[in-house]
Amino acid sequence: MFVLSSEAPTAAAGVVALALLDDEGSLVLGPGSAALAAELGDVDLLELFAEAGATATAGDVVRLVLPVSRGALTIFGVGVGDAGADGLRAAGAGVVRAAAGQDVVTSAVQAVADDAGLTAFVAGVVLGSFRYSLKADPGTPAPRFVLACAAPELAPVLERAEVIARASSEARRLATTPSNIKSPGWLKDQVLELAAPSRLKTKVWDVAALTKEGFGGILAVGRASATPPYLVQLDYTPAKVTRRTPHVVLVGKGITFDTGGLSIKPGEAMTTMKRDMTGAAVVAATMSALAALDCPVRVTGLMPLAENAIGGAALRPGDVITHWGGRTTEVTNTDAEGRLVLADPMQYAVDKLKPDLLVDVATLTGGIKVALGLGLGGIFSNDEAAAATLIAAGAEAGEPLWRMPLAEEYESFLASKVADSDNAPGRAPAITAALFLQHFAGDLPWVHLDIASAGDSAKDELEWSQGPTGFGARLLLHWLGSPEPLAGIGA
């Protein structure tokens, strides 16, 4: 989708994109504009854009069409804001949408940016062009981008940026796939397909293996569905590994559709539930990209996959289930199922894999939406350095997180007379869900990402497309692709 070129844009390109910046209140054009204007006979492009109402607001796009010897030249003026990463990401999404139907766009927009800005621009273009359709005619493909005014040394930066953006797009694709296609078995196969090019080590538990080994939460949630549950494990090992190489475990919630079980959701609340496996999609997409980013630490991905359905075998309010490792849960609300399927692989990771850091990712609670609205992900952690590191990665990646409290004074809400915990106390829902999961993190440094607040976008805006977002893959890859992902964590 992207090609680097050291040349400035020319009229022969047919479609050109130029940056619009704010210089102390004055609108100015970015790199490549002077050479193009001279080629066009010293046309005052800035005046033409100003007359057309152009601004430097990030993501705003104005189109000019000028006659040239071979027909017409289309020039997009693209606002880049302060030319930081957020502005470049918005600019990439804005120009790719404006250029729909074009074959090739020669862009100098990203030439105003540093490496982080180029990475953000690529993310904006890739994700702004995301489309999922099962129509017979899915529409025109996204244009290719020739990145003009670019030094050849940017090739590794571009390659890395594409890897991150494509992984985020894959997470979004999986989350957007309808649930009549996306059974736990289908998702298991998709995870394995994503893993294959990177030659990740894989392991799959089917119902028989889950039963034999005591993964009671996954089995209980998935037992009413016509499509059985699975647990999938992927393992990445860096090229250079020693006994001291740190180990991270990622656990992603994979509920392929959530009816709420017998504690059934209202109809309108079910309309987005095909994306309740976003956590698993994010983990799978992240795992698939680690080798290309030369991630320096060992990473294991665990994805419990199940459908929370209604039927004669369904989990009932009042049932008590036994998780892997022996801890018990009284189920007072079958719609609080995500924590039940996460608990098993988290405890398995603590006891069997013994990582240096445990991270779970889930569209877990409606409570986090109440707390944060739409657009911010919630982060809970028992380790200050881990929380700070992931918050910084989210800010860099354009997937912002907000720190939430692990309020010990709410621990008593989890009390049950018949089991170790109640799965749904009904008060402080996002916090008590995190406290429930903390019991399955042992003494490990642990991060819980509740991304239900960022799991859907109401409209096409910035790099988000209406529907499931796949939120989380970019922030994890910005973090795990850094030189020392676990620096200071657990110290």
Side-chain angles (χ1 to χ4, degrees):
M1 189 174 184
F2 299 94
V3 176
L4 289 176
S5 172
S6 60
E7 302 296 323
T10 68
V15 182
V16 170
L18 301 173
L20 291 168
L21 303 98
D22 187 318
D23 181 14
E24 297 183 351
S26 298
L27 188 67
V28 296
L29 279 165
S33 56
L36 182 60
E39 181 188 352
L40 294 172
D42 291 322
V43 171
D44 192 336
L45 293 177
L46 183 59
E47 182 178 355
L48 292 176
F49 276 120
E51 290 175 353
T55 74
T57 302
D60 280 3
V61 181
V62 168
R63 180 199 305 252
L64 299 179
V65 180
L66 304 179
V68 294
S69 59
R70 295 185 179 181
L73 169 65
T74 297
I75 308 176
F76 293 106
V78 186
V80 297
D82 63 359
D86 290 343
L88 268 294
R89 195 178 303 108
V95 71
V96 77
R97 289 195 177 102
Q102 304 290 343
D103 293 327
V104 181
V105 176
T106 298
S107 170
V109 175
Q110 75 295 328
V112 304
D114 57 10
D115 290 358
L118 174 58
T119 299
F121 181 80
V122 169
V125 170
V126 171
L127 296 174
S129 64
F130 175 85
R131 296 291 181 273
Y132 182 93
S133 176
L134 296 174
K135 295 178 181 180
D137 180 5
T140 56
R144 293 186 297 112
F145 274 69
V146 176
L147 303 182
C149 305
E153 305 85 72
L154 288 175
V157 179
L158 175 60
E159 182 179 359
R160 182 182 183 85
E162 284 198 81
V163 167
I164 294 172
R166 298 293 177 198
S168 186
S169 184
E170 276 298 295
R172 191 179 294 182
R173 176 185 70 84
L174 292 173
T176 306
T177 301
S179 293
N180 62 316
I181 297 171
K182 186 171 52 189
S183 66
W186 180 91
L187 186 53
K188 175 258 298 179
D189 291 342
Q190 292 288 303
V191 170
L192 296 178
E193 284 185 26
L194 281 174
S198 298
R199 299 182 181 178
L200 302 178
K201 185 179 178 181
T202 65
K203 182 177 181 179
V204 176
W205 288 260
D206 60 11
V207 168
L210 291 169
T211 303
K212 180 180 179 181
E213 297 190 31
F215 288 90
I218 300 171
L219 289 165
V221 172
R223 73 190 188 200
S225 175
T227 54
Y230 293 89
L231 174 62
V232 182
Q233 177 175 331
L234 303 179
D235 287 290
Y236 163 81
T237 302
K240 297 179 180 179
V241 62
T242 69
R243 290 184 178 181
R244 293 188 174 184
T245 300
H247 184 198
V248 174
V249 171
L250 308 175
V251 183
K253 173 187 171 183
I255 299 297
T256 58
F257 192 79
D258 182 17
T259 65
L262 293 180
S263 305
I264 190 167
K265 292 179 182 289
E268 64 274 12
M270 268 194 252
T271 57
T272 61
M273 285 300 104
K274 67 180 182 181
R275 66 94 176 105
D276 209 23
M277 37 55 68
T278 296
V282 165
V283 170
T286 298
M287 296 297 301
S288 73
L290 294 175
L293 297 181
D294 197 23
C295 171
V297 300
R298 293 171 54 216
V299 185
T300 296
L302 293 170
M303 289 144 281
L305 312 178
E307 180 183 28
N308 189 21
I310 298 170
L315 183 66
R316 296 166 291 254
D319 285 359
V320 174
I321 61 176
T322 302
H323 296 281
W324 195 98
R327 187 173 174 85
T328 57
T329 297
E330 180 185 8
V331 179
T332 56
N333 186 336
T334 64
D335 194 22
E337 86 298 329
R339 66 205 71 182
L340 302 180
V341 300
L342 290 171
D344 290 343
M346 286 176 63
Q347 190 65 59
Y348 170 83
V350 170
D351 292 351
K352 293 292 187 179
L353 305 180
K354 304 184 187 306
D356 299 283
L357 177 65
L358 178 63
V359 179
D360 73 82
V361 189
T363 48
L364 201 65
T365 68
I368 202 70
K369 291 184 181 181
V370 175
L372 299 179
L374 301 178
L376 282 173
I379 179 171
F380 299 79
S381 183
N382 61 6
D383 187 279
E384 295 298 317
T389 297
L390 267 71
I391 289 170
E396 180 183 14
E399 293 184 327
L401 299 172
W402 190 266
R403 181 84 181 268
M404 297 289 290
L406 285 167
E408 293 182 6
E409 55 267 38
Y410 294 164
E411 178 66 35
S412 62
F413 295 175
L414 297 173
S416 165
K417 292 183 178 180
V418 297
D420 293 313
S421 286
D422 179 338
N423 82 317
R427 293 178 283 178
I431 296 173
T432 52
L435 292 171
F436 177 94
L437 291 174
Q438 187 173 25
H439 288 281
F440 297 91
D443 296 325
L444 292 178
W446 162 68
V447 172
H448 164 51
L449 300 178
D450 188 344
I451 58 171
S453 51
D456 299 282
S457 177
K459 58 183 178 179
D460 290 349
E461 185 176 27
L462 302 176
E463 75 269 30
W464 308 112
S465 52
Q466 184 178 18
T469 62
F471 183 102
R474 280 182 287 156
L475 77 87
L476 291 179
L477 288 170
H478 274 257
W479 164 51
L480 290 169
S482 65
E484 295 184 88
L486 271 71
I489 295 174

